[in-house]
Amino acid sequence: MDILSSYNLIIEVSIIIILSFLFNRISSKTNIPAVLMLIILGVAIQYGLKYANVGDIDFFPILEVLGIVGLIMIVLEAALELELKKEKLMPILKSLVIGLFGLVASAWIAALILYQFIPEMSMQSAWLYATPLSILSSAIIIPSVTGLKEHKKEFHVYESTFSDILGIMMFYFLTGGLNPEEDAGVVGFFGNLILTVVIALVASYAIILIFQNIKSHIKLFLLIAVLLLLYGLGKKMHLSSLIIILIFGLVIANMKLFFKGKLSKYLKFKQAHHIYHELHTITGETAFVVRTFFFVIFGLSIAITSIFNLNVALISSLIILSIYAIRFVLLFIFVGKDILPQLFIAPRGLITVLLFYAIPVEAQVATFDQGILLFVIIGTSLIMTFAMIYDKRRAGTAINAANSKKVGTAKWKAPTISE
């Protein structure tokens, strides 16, 4: 039987999507990240293919495309939920500061660990390998924090989104240093950033004004195609393309803020808001499907046995320990004592894998074991799982105690005069 025939592929793809939906349901009940279950499913399929004597398949091109599209959809999905209000300014800035300092400090410590323990690893390569390991995974965090209090949920959405964008910008800034002739330096980097923001704002206004006048019902995938085109062209122009996606999401989600004064008369709010509402739905659905196949294929392509290597376990454990130590200090300084479960919500995932495979050939180190990547992803996901389960039980205990107190108060009645 040909496992990869057309009809079998349709059946297999359908089963994977159904299982992914079930994993999401299980995740909402148990707080076990659905991503972890998808990776395990991918590993199981990998061994199933070996048992069926299916030859080696190069999944990397599929993984790369899925990763890029998934990243765009996840950032857009997050941006569509961000409300820009005066009262949200401090939480946004706080999340930005924690995300930035957490990224840089984690990458620095991880680079020192990799440089120390891996032969042939130069400091420049160590920074390139450490950066993906230091980026929070919004693909895991955003679906996992829906049950938290609103202010904690918002913090994680902001922080993980900023971590994704800043991490990618930092990674490509570091890769620019590999080729001094093309490296624009710090001034060029910030000039590039300002140019990206200007292009993003102009494009966002233009897209909304044009699409609000399109009467055809078939326009949402056209809109997504335009965004993908802008992302691709931005990459070709060496711009920070993900910022274009983020700013578009912010503009369409906060149209009344961006269309003020004379601009307000050009906005057809009802039509534009309808686009926003439908885009929100289709973005979430697309992100779900892309995320599903990305992590299943990642599970298909990894060597699971590598995580049992003693040296891999040591290096990975040190990196994970440094992640939470740095996170504890930052949260304690900027948030205070109420840092649970935020302290342990720091999983690595889609961006980590995507950037790892984007490390230029001249910076790659043959002695680096990919098991470190897998160990850190699984380790941080499991830690987050246990923290979320503990927080859920703690919240449940607090609610039960409060209810018992109310019941006790209700049963007590004031004595009458005759008593």
Side-chain angles (χ1 to χ4, degrees), residues 85-325:
K85 296 179 179 178
K86 285 183 180 180
E87 58 268 26
K88 299 283 179 75
L89 182 60
M90 282 309 296
I92 290 173
L93 289 175
K94 193 180 291 184
S95 302
L96 175 61
V97 170
I98 292 172
L100 177 60
F101 281 94
L103 170 71
V104 175
S106 297
W108 176 49
I109 299 298
L112 291 174
I113 293 168
L114 294 174
Y115 180 70
Q116 187 68 34
F117 286 93
I118 297 178
E120 303 173 19
M121 180 72 78
S122 67
M123 201 62 201
Q124 190 176 30
S125 291
W127 269 94
L128 277 170
Y129 276 90
T131 300
L133 292 168
S134 305
I135 302 172
L136 296 171
S137 174
S138 57
I140 299 176
I141 290 173
I142 292 173
S144 301
V145 299
T146 51
L148 294 182
K149 292 178 181 177
E150 192 61 30
H151 71 281
K152 290 187 178 184
K153 175 188 167 184
E154 282 188 346
F155 166 76
H156 287 298
V157 171
Y158 294 142
E159 185 199 21
S160 61
T161 304
F162 287 136
S163 183
D164 281 355
I165 294 167
L166 293 170
I168 290 169
M169 289 169 62
M170 178 173 158
F171 179 83
Y172 285 107
F173 175 72
L174 291 170
T175 56
L178 294 171
N179 191 346
E181 292 178 3
E182 295 181 7
D183 185 19
V186 177
V187 175
F189 174 77
F190 282 104
N192 175 293
L193 183 61
I194 293 167
L195 177 62
T196 304
V197 171
V198 171
I199 291 173
L201 284 170
V202 172
S204 298
Y205 279 110
I207 290 170
I208 292 170
L209 292 174
I210 291 169
F211 273 79
Q212 70 179 2
N213 292 312
I214 297 176
K215 294 189 175 10
S216 171
H217 294 291
I218 308 167
K219 59 184 174 185
L220 286 176
F221 274 103
L222 175 63
L223 175 55
I224 288 172
V226 170
L227 293 175
L228 290 173
L229 176 63
L230 285 172
Y231 181 90
L233 290 173
K235 277 293 177 188
K236 289 289 184 182
M237 295 167 63
H238 305 290
L239 301 174
S240 302
S241 293
L242 210 57
I243 290 178
I244 298 173
I245 306 300
L246 175 69
I247 288 177
F248 171 76
L250 289 173
V251 171
I252 198 168
N254 300 271
M255 287 180 286
K256 288 186 176 179
L257 177 66
F258 285 93
F259 285 85
K260 280 188 171 183
K262 292 182 180 179
L263 282 173
S264 61
K265 66 181 181 180
Y266 297 107
L267 177 68
K268 298 175 182 176
F269 183 75
K270 189 176 179 181
Q271 290 90 326
H273 186 72
H274 182 67
I275 294 171
Y276 160 77
H277 180 72
E278 289 191 331
L279 185 62
H280 202 292
T281 303
I282 202 166
T283 300
E285 297 276 356
T286 308
F288 162 75
V289 173
V290 172
R291 186 165 50 225
T292 293
F293 288 103
F294 179 85
F295 285 107
V296 169
I297 292 172
F298 175 61
L300 264 166
S301 60
I302 57 175
I304 194 73
T305 52
S306 62
I307 66 171
F308 300 109
N309 181 297
L310 188 61
N311 195 46
V312 166
L314 174 63
I315 294 170
S316 303
S317 297
L318 287 173
I319 290 173
I320 291 172
L321 187 64
S322 70
I323 287 169
Y324 294 109

